[in-house]
Amino acid sequence: MTGTLITVAPTGAESSKADVPALPVTLDELVTTAKECEALGASIVHVHIRDDAARPTLDQGRLRDTVAALREGTGLIVQLSSGGSVHDPEADRLAVLDAAPEMASCTMGTVNFGADVFMNRWEFIVGLHTRMQERGIVPEYEIFDLGQLTTLQQLLGRYGLPAGGHVHVDLVMGVPGGMPGTAAALVACEQAIRDLPEGTTFSATGIGRSTIPVMLASLSAGGHLRVGMEDTLTYAKGRPVESNMQLVARAVGFAQLAQRPPLTPSQARELLGVPAR
């Protein structure tokens, strides 16, 4: 792979607007952020949304409006989170697909998430996977621990390849309760990915202080990058992140140093099996 797929995750469900004023929580803020990140080199936007009080929500009307606005205002691949917040019920998380995103996340197992539990039962995983197959929504399989790659292997063996035919995973590293954000952990995952269908690709996300080590390890192993204020709020020690654009620009710089420049949204669609607009 000679290019780098860069995903921006601008908001997430954990941080509050009161604590992080730069966090994009309104639709206008999200679209503006997406446009600016696309101009810098991002090709996917991973989306969580907020309500009028800036609290995480899976409101169906807001989800549909968000997908429509991002499709109209950008060329980015619109990827909705089916994770929501750790407190959202399964039915609401499955209903995320009703907003007709181009991609959606599909987490491959339950994981301790700090003091909470991010629940992903096998039956729920199968439901997400098969509904995305039926609707032509391309999944990104989120992996929080090494064993979840074995779960993905079982899922694909029993229920077939995803919509678009290409398997792409995101290694979420450094979550308290999940795998560490280290080069050694990434190499272990990269070895396990070889047991998945030929051509499987991966991105890596380093949470908090693991952001830079994970970016460098992923690029060196032929992987791709996800960055954003969902995953880290500190640019450097003692220096808060000012914007998502700051994080995307750094990822683009690292990709160019690795001689793997950012993929355009069109190139990303071709790689991932996402239909052209």
Side-chain angles (χ1 to χ4, degrees):
M1 175 57 60
T2 57
T4 303
L5 179 71
I6 295 179
T7 300
V8 60
T11 306
E14 286 73 44
S15 300
S16 72
K17 182 73 167 177
D19 292 336
V20 189
L23 198 71
V25 296
T26 68
L27 183 54
D28 286 346
E29 288 172 342
L30 183 60
V31 172
T32 297
T33 295
K35 287 180 177 179
E36 292 173 336
C37 289
E38 180 182 16
L40 289 169
S43 52
I44 300 176
V45 59
H46 174 81
V47 182
H48 291 255
I49 62 168
R50 303 294 181 99
D51 63 15
D52 287 337
R55 295 171 301 205
T57 181
L58 292 179
D59 177 79
Q60 190 61 217
R62 288 178 181 270
L63 284 170
R64 291 180 183 274
D65 289 346
T66 299
V67 170
L70 288 169
R71 286 176 64 94
E72 180 180 354
T74 78
L76 295 171
I77 299 171
V78 180
Q79 180 191 105
L80 291 184
S81 168
S82 69
S85 79
V86 294
H87 308 293
D88 286 319
E90 289 182 352
D92 291 352
R93 293 170 59 194
L94 285 169
V96 165
L97 303 181
D98 296 340
E102 296 166 286
M103 294 185 72
S105 61
C106 182
T107 301
M108 295 309 300
T110 297
V111 64
N112 288 333
F113 203 86
D116 297 306
V117 177
F118 183 26
M119 183 70 70
N120 294 282
R121 300 181 306 115
W122 172 253
E123 292 82 1
F124 175 71
I125 293 169
V126 170
L128 265 178
H129 175 77
T130 54
R131 290 187 190 197
M132 282 195 264
Q133 283 176 320
E134 294 164 1
R135 303 180 189 196
I137 298 170
V138 175
E140 178 180 80
Y141 300 104
E142 291 197 341
I143 306 297
F144 285 79
D145 224 335
L146 182 61
Q148 293 181 8
L149 288 167
T150 301
T151 302
L152 176 55
Q153 189 177 15
Q154 294 169 348
L155 180 73
L156 299 173
R158 295 184 190 182
Y159 296 96
L161 291 173
H166 179 83
V167 179
H168 181 72
V169 306
D170 180 46
L171 307 175
V172 185
M173 311 182 74
V175 170
M179 61 182 157
T182 62
L186 188 141
V187 168
C189 289
E190 193 269 338
Q191 293 291 323
I193 286 169
R194 297 181 187 185
D195 293 329
L196 295 172
E198 185 176 357
T200 294
T201 53
F202 73 91
S203 295
T205 304
I207 303 300
R209 67 182 63 185
S210 69
T211 296
I212 292 177
V214 167
M215 277 200 293
L216 296 174
S218 185
L219 286 169
S220 68
H224 303 276
L225 306 178
R226 185 182 106 169
V227 298
M229 295 180 72
E230 173 174 349
D231 304 317
T232 184
L233 297 172
T234 303
Y235 189 78
K237 187 175 181 179
R239 184 179 170 190
V241 171
E242 298 172 5
S243 69
N244 283 284
M245 291 72 77
Q246 188 182 29
L247 298 173
V248 170
R250 180 168 65 182
V252 168
F254 282 3
Q256 290 171 335
L257 282 171
Q259 299 185 47
R260 290 182 47 205
L263 296 177
T264 66
S266 294
Q267 291 170 327
R269 290 173 188 279
E270 184 178 355
L271 172 68
L272 299 171
V274 178
R277 292 263 177 95

